Amino acid sequence: MKTLVVLIGPTAVGKTELSIQLAKLLCCDIISADSRQIYKDITIGTAKPTREELAQVRHHFIDILNLEDYYSAAQYEIDVLRLLEEQFKIGDYALMVGGSMMYTDAVCKGIDDIPTINDDTREMMRHRLETEGLDALTRELKLLDPEYFELVDRKNHKRVVHALEVCYQTGHTYTSFRKNSVKERPFRIVKIGLCRDRDNLFQRINSRVDVMMREGFMEEARSLFPKRELNSLNTVGYKELFKVIGGEWEQQMAVERIKKNTRVYAKKQMTWYAHDEDIHWLAADKMPKEVMIEEIEKII
């Protein structure tokens, strides 16, 4: 049966290097499941694979969008399923790699059929977020959709705003469209998760941020500063460095905050994955890559 292998795990756990070896073993391309690597011009801050790594195996969904482009997990589901049809005509395996939980879930479980938001509604809500602020919109969501209000991360402006967009465009609650039912796929899905001891993972995160700074992360952020309000740049790393460029923070403070916020994100990823009983976990800090490859061969 055709099989989609999904390699997941928290940021900095070591997915990229292992994925290239695994793709060579399976004789297939790599489908990136990273909601930021999909954009052009943000390379260092998103820890994209190097040119050498990209040259070894063909990658999909890296550097395909401009920073101004709108994209969603729902669109990603559509695009990846279309690509998988082509991939499975060539071979029996496909490999999806990344740490964006919504993206991997979109392909593995499916996204609810929530209406696509039109440009007028999106622009109206963007303006309201800028002029009224997130707190005001969150209070409005409590009135319009109290059920979703109890579930949503109220600090996540994207989730709050999108729920309100649906409410305004359809006249129905966002909750009414959320079925949370798993869609059947015409292929087998095998999930491989990489994990590390907490201290080891956090050390890798800290070291990677230092490397990114040495490779020119500040210069990359400075070139993007005029576009800092774009949603694609509302992510850990760029947000902190924009404060340095804007004169609000010292650089060392920003670097330490990037490390901390990346560690927080890694913990969120692990919490998300903890609810998925289908993941086969491998301890990346306890076994060599060759052994991990052997273990994956047994699983798939």
Side-chain angles (χ1 to χ4, degrees):
M1 186 177 184
K2 303 297 184 179
T3 301
L4 172 65
V5 179
V6 185
L7 183 62
I8 55 180
T11 184
V13 76
K15 298 184 294 294
T16 299
E17 189 174 350
L18 183 64
S19 70
I20 292 172
Q21 294 186 33
L22 186 55
K24 290 179 179 179
L25 174 71
L26 300 177
C27 300
C28 66
D29 299 347
I30 291 175
I31 302 171
S32 171
D34 189 297
S35 63
R36 287 299 179 264
Q37 291 185 1
I38 202 167
Y39 290 102
K40 302 173 186 176
D41 301 323
I42 47 176
T43 299
I44 299 173
T46 59
K48 285 177 183 170
T50 64
R51 290 182 180 178
E52 291 74 20
E53 289 169 333
L54 291 172
Q56 292 185 57
V57 176
R58 186 181 182 190
H59 287 65
H60 299 270
F61 297 98
I62 290 181
D63 285 340
I64 67 168
L65 297 176
N66 295 317
L67 292 171
E68 296 82 4
D69 293 337
Y70 174 77
Y71 201 71
S72 66
Q75 187 60 50
Y76 181 77
E77 175 190 8
I78 294 170
D79 293 343
V80 170
L81 290 179
R82 186 180 297 121
L83 174 62
L84 286 174
E85 283 187 31
E86 299 302 316
Q87 293 286 296
F88 286 140
K89 290 176 183 176
I90 301 170
D92 292 331
Y93 292 97
L95 176 61
M96 184 166 68
V97 182
S100 293
M101 298 86 77
M102 290 291 290
Y103 275 30
T104 52
D105 272 8
V107 174
C108 296
K109 300 178 180 180
I111 292 284
D112 291 327
D113 295 322
I114 295 171
T116 301
I117 304 303
N118 60 47
D119 292 341
D120 289 342
T121 302
R122 184 175 294 117
E123 178 59 27
M124 181 265 289
M125 291 307 305
R126 185 195 65 78
H127 178 71
R128 290 193 59 197
L129 177 63
E130 290 181 355
T131 56
E132 300 175 34
L134 179 60
D135 289 343
L137 297 186
T138 304
R139 290 193 295 270
E140 185 170 8
L141 180 62
K142 184 177 182 180
L143 294 174
L144 296 179
D145 192 348
E147 187 175 347
Y148 187 62
F149 172 83
E150 294 298 328
L151 299 174
V152 70
D153 176 0
R154 297 165 202 166
K155 300 297 183 183
N156 188 323
H157 74 278
K158 288 179 62 178
R159 303 280 171 82
V160 172
V161 168
H162 184 56
L164 286 173
E165 288 173 342
V166 172
C167 291
Y168 276 108
Q169 181 166 307
T170 67
H172 299 284
T173 64
Y174 183 68
T175 299
S176 67
F177 293 96
R178 298 179 75 242
K179 302 179 182 66
N180 291 319
S181 57
V182 177
K183 297 178 182 177
E184 290 191 13
R185 300 303 192 199
F187 47 82
R188 177 169 162 257
I189 298 174
V190 177
K191 298 179 183 177
I192 307 295
L194 297 188
C195 61
R196 289 179 181 270
D197 173 79
R198 175 191 172 106
D199 291 340
N200 179 269
L201 179 64
F202 285 4
Q203 182 180 13
R204 285 174 61 90
I205 289 172
N206 295 341
S207 297
R208 188 167 78 173
V209 173
D210 289 335
V211 170
M212 291 161 75
M213 293 304 297
R214 290 196 297 270
E215 290 180 342
F217 191 11
M218 177 59 78
E219 288 71 22
E220 182 175 90
R222 188 170 284 112
S223 71
L224 298 167
F225 188 67
K227 299 181 178 182
R228 61 191 177 280
E229 300 301 329
L230 292 176
N231 183 59
S232 56
L233 294 172
N234 182 32
T235 189
V236 174
Y238 295 99
K239 291 191 297 185
E240 293 83 356
L241 293 186
F242 288 157
K243 288 184 178 294
V244 177
I245 299 166
E248 299 177 56
W249 288 0
E250 294 294 328
Q251 180 169 315
Q252 188 55 41
M253 175 184 174
V255 170
E256 293 306 315
R257 194 65 61 88
I258 293 170
K259 293 177 180 178
K260 177 182 177 182
N261 290 339
T262 305
R263 296 194 299 267
V264 170
Y265 178 60
K267 287 189 285 187
K268 286 182 178 179
Q269 289 174 299
M270 291 306 297
T271 299
W272 180 289
Y273 296 138
H275 299 293
D276 192 337
E277 297 179 354
D278 294 330
I279 300 175
H280 302 270
W281 289 102
L282 299 176
D285 55 340
K286 301 288 195 302
M287 58 180 74
K289 291 181 182 63
E290 294 74 17
V291 176
M292 285 194 286
I293 291 292
E294 291 174 2
E295 291 298 314
I296 292 172
E297 283 189 271
K298 296 175 186 176
I299 294 168
I300 62 177

